[in-house]
Amino acid sequence: MTETLTEEEKSIFDLYPNLARVERRQSNGWREIKSFVLRGQKLKDYQIQALKDHYHDYAIPYSENEKLDFQKVFGNKNPVVIEIGFGMGESTLKIAKANPDTNYIGIEVFLYGFSKLLANASKEGLKNLKVMRFDAVQVLQDMVQDSSVDGFHVFFPDPWPKKRHHKKRLIQVPFAELLASKLKKGGYIYCVTDWEEYAKQMLEVFDKVSSLENPYGGFAPERPWRPETGFERKGLEKDYVINEVWVEKRGE
């Protein structure tokens, strides 16, 4: 499924071709999106205008052959936290705004959410937040140096509830190992889900990565600094239980 774009949205891709590509081929060249379910929600005028005016201020384009220099990207040596799949960016914006001495990179392929967060970040004038529209796995593999990240946020990833779809879940051992390889010693991975069976799988997955440890021996207590999102509130209204998973990279 691909997004249905208006002519004005297509003009944004003409202006910023990198924005139209969210994954790369394993061999050579680009291909159409096949591995993501992209919702075709029409962009509002303010989102289109924000992309035109502030893409270069907040967006990091994907580059297969260039590692990110966080100090160059943000202009400082502050800690860096990467959020994977930020959706509408509601909590991303609030966390970044509340923690100006930490730098945040949000990765999201959903164009509506990507442009909404970019617009809101520019409205707030945030200097410690950047966004990327690309496959997070490939971004980590190709652009993020090992032992360079202070933390990862993965809030409410798609639970793929049907058993035959479990292989599509983001939190699998190879991905957990990739995250761990990018973390500094003492860095953390913070996952939140309202799907209990998936939460238990997360615990099992992280337990299999030798470089990670769970300081709680199970689910973690709620972090008071993580804002409640609209998506989360809908789950709570349905009596879903919110499960938090926190693991850290072992030190020396």
Side-chain angles (χ1 to χ4, degrees), residues 85-118:
F86 58 75
M88 292 295 185
E90 181 181 353
S91 62
T92 316
L93 185 77
K94 291 179 180 178
I95 291 173
K97 187 176 178 180
N99 299 277
D101 293 331
T102 298
N103 297 321
Y104 296 89
I105 297 175
I107 304 175
E108 175 60 66
V109 297
F110 178 32
L111 183 59
Y112 190 93
F114 172 91
S115 57
K116 184 174 183 178
L117 179 55
L118 186 151

Side-chain angles (χ1 to χ4, degrees), residues 169 171-173 176 196-209 214 218-219 245 247:
R169 286 176 171 173
I171 306 300
Q172 308 279 357
V173 172
E196 186 175 9
E197 184 270 332
Y198 191 12
K200 292 178 179 178
Q201 178 185 320
M202 290 177 179
L203 291 176
E204 294 173 359
V205 165
F206 290 131
D207 190 53
K208 293 177 181 178
V209 181
N214 185 334
F219 294 129
V245 176
V247 295

